[in-house]
Amino acid sequence: MTSNPLNQYAEICRDVIKSSSAKLGKTFENILLEILLLYMAIQRRIYFTQMERYGTHCEQTFL
């Protein structure tokens, strides 16, 4: 088991996505997981530019 709380949260989210009845593409699954992690990590109001700054994708990906 991972010790970092965000890694634990990511594993839980990944398990929930995998066990859902909807089949999601791998790219969409990775972006969804990144968005969920960014919502946990960024404090206060969240903008697309902040998501670009702290995430791995560009701002246009999150629109």
Side-chain angles (χ1 to χ4, degrees), residues 8-56:
Q8 290 177 349
Y9 180 72
E11 289 297 320
I12 291 169
C13 290
R14 189 173 288 120
D15 290 341
V16 169
I17 290 171
K18 295 264 187 216
S19 66
S20 70
S21 61
K23 300 300 177 191
L24 302 175
K26 189 163 185 127
T27 305
F28 183 77
E29 181 182 326
N30 289 336
I31 292 172
L32 179 63
L33 185 61
E34 183 176 357
I35 290 171
L36 292 173
L37 288 175
L38 288 172
Y39 267 87
M40 292 293 292
I42 298 174
Q43 297 177 354
R44 299 185 188 201
R45 199 161 180 176
I46 299 173
Y47 298 106
F48 294 119
T49 53
Q50 286 178 323
M51 293 173 78
E52 177 187 15
R53 187 178 305 132
Y54 296 113
T56 59

